[in-house]
Amino acid sequence: MYRVRQEDLPLIGSSHNFVGADNGDVKISVFLLNALPGKGPGPHRHPYDEVQFIREGRGLYTVNGKEFEAGAGDILVIKAGEVHAFKCIGEANLVQVDVHLSPVFIQEHVPNRPVSD
């Protein structure tokens, strides 16, 4: 059995970061996100699947160029290689548990590309 408290995890940006390889040597890593209105990560992708459990607030998400809103109670399954980004919308913070199916985070940032006509 292994136990750690959220506040003892590294806080990077808007997330406490649970890295499975460093915490009980488990095969997942988790961003415990608490984003302020207007905040969130830009376009990026991972070489593994990610599951986002939205606990509170609302977000504007873009996955593979498709934009949509999601909120508390929604669960988003983002497949390996899908380019995605999101930001908190509204007045309440966006609280998510983002489970990465990897013992370490691997994230490739993707530059914003203008849409061609």
Side-chain angles (χ1 to χ4, degrees), residues 6 9-17 31-36 39-41 86 93-94 107:
Q6 178 173 320
L9 297 171
L11 177 62
I12 300 173
S14 299
S15 299
H16 282 92
N17 293 356
F31 287 130
L32 300 168
L33 177 84
N34 188 347
L36 296 171
K39 300 294 184 183
F86 60 89
N93 286 12
L94 177 62
Q107 184 163 303

Side-chain angles (χ1 to χ4, degrees), residues 2-100:
Y2 178 84
R3 180 178 179 174
V4 64
R5 294 195 50 82
Q6 178 173 320
E7 60 262 22
D8 294 332
L9 297 171
L11 177 62
I12 300 173
S14 299
S15 299
H16 282 92
N17 293 356
F18 176 91
V19 177
D22 299 337
N23 290 280
D25 194 28
V26 295
K27 304 285 187 249
I28 66 164
S29 295
V30 180
F31 287 130
L32 300 168
L33 177 84
N34 188 347
L36 296 171
K39 300 294 184 183
H44 64 280
R45 64 179 150 222
H46 314 283
Y48 48 76
D49 295 344
E50 175 183 358
V51 182
Q52 297 179 341
F53 298 87
I54 305 169
R55 308 307 301 148
E56 298 176 24
R58 295 196 58 73
L60 180 64
Y61 298 79
T62 304
V63 179
N64 280 346
K66 295 181 182 173
E67 190 173 84
F68 60 93
E69 289 186 25
D74 286 328
I75 299 170
L76 308 178
V77 178
I78 299 167
K79 301 302 287 180
E82 289 186 323
V83 175
H84 56 287
F86 60 89
K87 68 178 178 179
C88 177
I89 58 175
E91 296 181 19
N93 286 12
L94 177 62
V95 179
Q96 294 183 178
V97 176
D98 297 348
V99 178
H100 292 236

